[in-house]
Amino acid sequence: MAAPSGAAICEDFAEFQELLRVMRTIDDRIVHELNTTIPTASFVGKVDPGQTCKELYESLMDAHTKRERIIKDCIFQTSAVVKTLKEEREKAHEDATLLKQLRKEQTKV
């Protein structure tokens, strides 16, 4: 799955959670993946188990790397928004809307 990048996925927390859920599919199905990757005795001559295990490992590592990158990017982006909102809050102490938005972003982080 090609994961979208940028601030768009970080703004909507529910969308971000759904993206992570979809990206975890290979982890959630690891037993099934192992059962279909490692050949049974009748298929041992038709499939190279070393190659198929290597491909499974590479797809797992790729999925983990993509997920980690997206999570770190969103943390970085949201932290920057929190920093900006805190600076604005210092200037406008009584702005309730600003405080609400700041709390929302802090909860995301």
Side-chain angles (χ1 to χ4, degrees), residues 46-93:
K46 300 175 185 173
V47 178
D48 179 12
Q51 182 62 31
T52 54
C53 284
K54 181 181 176 186
E55 290 169 2
L56 175 60
Y57 173 78
E58 288 171 354
S59 65
L60 278 169
M61 293 309 295
D62 183 51
H64 289 187
T65 302
K66 286 178 181 175
R67 248 192 350 250
E68 183 178 2
R69 187 186 76 244
I70 287 173
I71 291 168
K72 285 182 178 181
D73 286 350
C74 283
I75 289 172
F76 178 77
Q77 290 173 13
T78 307
S79 294
V81 170
V82 166
K83 182 180 177 185
T84 303
L85 289 171
K86 280 183 177 181
E87 290 170 358
E88 290 177 21
R89 175 104 164 79
E90 291 295 319
K91 297 173 187 168
H93 294 288

